[in-house]
Amino acid sequence: GPEHPSTATTYHCFGMVFREQGKYKDAIAEHQKALKIKLEVYGPEHPSTATAYELIGSVLFNQGKNKEALEQYEQALAIFLKADGLEHS
């Protein structure tokens, strides 16, 4: 269905293809669709949600939008650290 994790995975696949084609706007749109599903299914602190942020960051990085890419990567890292119990705050 439209809210299933497998649907999110497929959106990510589309996003990766679009990124390779240089269709960055389309790539980000697909990754954002996947992120929306992952936020609804897993919540904001799940590693799968973090992966969506990483993939959006990779598209931004390919565009030379380093500041925006870094923000996405930092979001992903914060989730991974918290999920692994490594955050000491």
Side-chain angles (χ1 to χ4, degrees):
E3 302 300 319
H4 193 274
S6 294
T7 304
T9 300
T10 303
Y11 285 137
H12 281 314
C13 291
F14 286 140
M16 289 184 283
V17 171
F18 287 139
R19 185 188 73 200
E20 289 300 310
Q21 294 175 335
K23 297 177 181 177
Y24 300 123
K25 183 177 179 180
D26 294 331
I28 289 176
E30 296 300 317
H31 289 308
Q32 287 176 333
K33 289 179 193 175
L35 175 61
K36 183 176 185 275
I37 293 170
K38 289 180 175 191
L39 285 168
E40 291 174 8
V41 172
Y42 299 118
E45 297 180 356
H46 192 277
S48 187
T49 303
T51 300
Y53 287 115
E54 283 185 320
L55 290 168
I56 293 169
S58 71
V59 176
L60 293 166
F61 178 75
N62 286 139
Q63 290 180 281
K65 296 180 177 180
N66 296 331
K67 182 179 183 219
E68 293 93 337
L70 192 58
E71 290 170 0
Q72 297 295 311
Y73 292 142
E74 288 171 345
Q75 179 76 19
L77 181 60
I79 294 168
F80 285 133
L81 291 174
K82 191 168 188 177
D84 290 338
L86 298 175
E87 191 169 276
H88 301 287
S89 59

